[in-house]
Amino acid sequence: MNLEIIHVGLLGTNCYVTWDDDKNCVVVDCGGDAKKVADYITEHQMNPTHLLLTHGHGDHMGGAADLKEIFPQIQIVLGEKDLEMICDGEKSMANSVAPYARPFQPDLIVKDGDHFTGGNMEFTVMETPGHTPGGVCYIKGNEIYCGDTLFQGSMGRTDLYGGDERALFESLKRLGSLQGYYKIFPGHGSATNLEDEKLANPFLKRAMMTKSI
C-alpha cells in the first residue's frame, strides 16, 4: 500500500496521498495546506490525478482551490449534496477554521455507487450522510477513506449545519454491514480497521443493532 498521511490546517485534519506504481497519486482532503501537500507530491515526482473531498467542511476542503491552481490537471471530486457549502463560509465553517478558503468548481460531482479511476487505482463512492448532508466515503480495495463519518472509537459530530444523527447512524450501519477486512482512514485521529470498530466502537455497535428506518 502506497500511502502518506499529512496533517493539515488548524484542526490537524488527516490528508491522505495514495499512489500507484506509476506514481499517479490521489489526494484525499487537502485541508488548508495546499502548498504542504503540493510540496510532498512534487518532491516525490508524482502526478496528481484527483482530489477527493469527503465532505464540505473548510478543514477538509479549504485548500482545494489552491491545490487546483498548483496542479491544474487535478480533478476535484465532491458529493453532490455538499455543493452548497463551497461558497458559504458559515455552512462550511470555513470562516472560523479555514478563512483563507476560496470558492472552486468541482470537476466530478459524485453520488452513491459511482466508480472512477485515478491512474491504476479504482475508487467506489459510498454516500454516508449525517455529519454533513453530502458526506461520502471513498473505497479503494480494502481501504476506506471516511472523512468525519467514523473515527477510532467514535463518530462524527451532528450538531453542525446539516448534521443529522439519525442519518449518521444509518451511514454507520451501512459501513458495519460490509464484510471482510477494511482499513479505516478517518479525517482526524488514528487509522483503524472495521473489524476492531465493530467490536469496540460503541456508536458503530449501536448503529448495527438499530433497525433501519
Side-chain angles (χ1 to χ4, degrees):
M1 179 178 62
N2 299 321
L3 181 67
E4 179 71 14
I5 305 173
I6 304 172
H7 296 113
V8 293
L10 299 176
L11 301 183
T13 302
N14 291 332
C15 167
Y16 300 97
V17 181
T18 183
W19 61 94
D20 64 19
D21 292 338
D22 296 323
K23 290 199 169 183
N24 297 299
C25 74
V26 169
V27 180
V28 183
D29 288 345
C30 64
D33 286 330
K35 186 178 184 304
K36 185 177 182 180
V37 177
D39 285 347
Y40 180 85
I41 292 171
T42 301
E43 178 186 350
H44 292 82
Q45 301 181 315
M46 289 191 261
N47 169 47
T49 65
H50 293 76
L51 167 60
L52 312 184
L53 300 174
T54 59
H55 62 287
H57 283 153
D59 57 319
H60 291 257
M61 67 175 188
D66 294 335
L67 197 66
K68 179 78 169 181
E69 192 170 87
I70 298 169
F71 300 118
Q73 80 276 18
I74 204 167
Q75 300 285 291
I76 302 177
V77 183
L78 180 66
E80 60 182 348
K81 294 174 185 174
D82 273 1
L83 288 174
E84 65 173 335
M85 294 185 172
I86 293 175
C87 297
D88 193 318
E90 287 298 320
K91 291 179 179 178
S92 69
M93 299 194 305
N95 289 351
S96 57
V97 302
Y100 39 74
R102 294 185 291 137
F104 61 90
Q105 179 61 47
D107 300 284
L108 187 58
I109 300 169
V110 293
K111 59 185 184 303
D112 195 65
D114 283 349
H115 301 268
F116 59 91
T117 58
N120 297 318
M121 300 172 288
E122 182 173 344
F123 293 83
T124 300
V125 177
M126 175 187 282
E127 288 187 6
T128 50
H131 180 62
T132 66
V136 298
C137 293
Y138 298 98
I139 304 174
K140 185 190 85 167
N142 71 338
E143 303 166 20
I144 302 178
Y145 299 90
C146 61
D148 291 358
T149 296
L150 176 66
F151 299 122
Q152 184 181 48
S154 189
M155 69 176 192
R157 294 174 60 173
T158 58
D159 59 334
L160 304 171
Y161 173 80
D164 184 327
E165 184 175 283
R166 181 176 293 182
L168 186 55
F169 273 102
E170 285 293 309
S171 295
L172 292 176
K173 188 177 184 70
R174 285 194 71 194
L175 285 171
S177 71
L178 295 174
Q179 300 300 308
Y181 181 82
Y182 285 93
K183 300 172 185 176
I184 301 293
F185 297 106
H188 304 272
S190 301
T192 181
N193 69 79
L194 190 57
E195 290 305 305
D196 284 351
E197 296 309 305
K198 287 180 182 181
L199 292 172
N201 186 317
F203 302 98
L204 184 58
K205 289 170 68 177
R206 175 182 161 191
M208 292 173 65
M209 292 187 295
T210 302
K211 290 184 179 180
S212 295
I213 300 165

